[in-house]
Amino acid sequence: YQTRMCLLKTARDFCILYHVYEKNGAYVIAGRSIEHKLCPIQKDYVRAEVLESGFVIQPKEGRSDVSIVTYVSQIDLKNIPST
């Protein structure tokens, strides 16, 4: 199996700060990349960037055993080779 056309050949890492809060019975988890001294860029990795990312987890009306989960993410993987 050849991976010549594989999009990413270098490992990626992220340093993301998430904030979790409850609003009107739903849980919101929002995150984005940050720079932080406790999260240094690792050798042999490309530091990718989460521009905006998050989940909204809300109960389904009339069903206490079911949740609706919405996930959105905007990510820059950095250094993507052209095809």
Side-chain angles (χ1 to χ4, degrees), residues 14-79:
F14 297 87
C15 182
I16 305 170
L17 175 67
Y18 281 103
H19 179 69
V20 180
Y21 61 98
E22 186 269 333
K23 182 175 183 177
N24 299 328
Y27 289 92
V28 179
I29 305 166
R32 68 177 301 131
S33 286
I34 62 167
E35 293 182 18
H36 195 283
K37 65 182 179 182
L38 295 178
C39 191
I41 296 174
Q42 301 295 309
K43 182 179 183 266
D44 298 326
Y45 285 80
V46 172
R47 175 58 54 94
E49 181 180 11
V50 174
L51 302 167
E52 303 293 339
S53 176
F55 293 87
V56 176
I57 304 168
Q58 58 194 64
K60 181 165 176 63
E61 191 173 323
R63 295 281 310 267
S64 63
D65 61 332
V66 176
S67 295
I68 298 170
V69 178
T70 303
Y71 174 66
V72 294
S73 184
Q74 182 180 11
I75 299 174
D76 182 354
L77 293 173
K78 306 286 185 181
N79 302 328

Side-chain angles (χ1 to χ4, degrees), residues 4-17:
R4 178 174 14 156
M5 296 301 292
C6 182
L7 183 62
L8 300 175
K9 294 187 180 193
T10 305
R12 286 345 193 224
D13 78 337
F14 297 87
C15 182
I16 305 170
L17 175 67

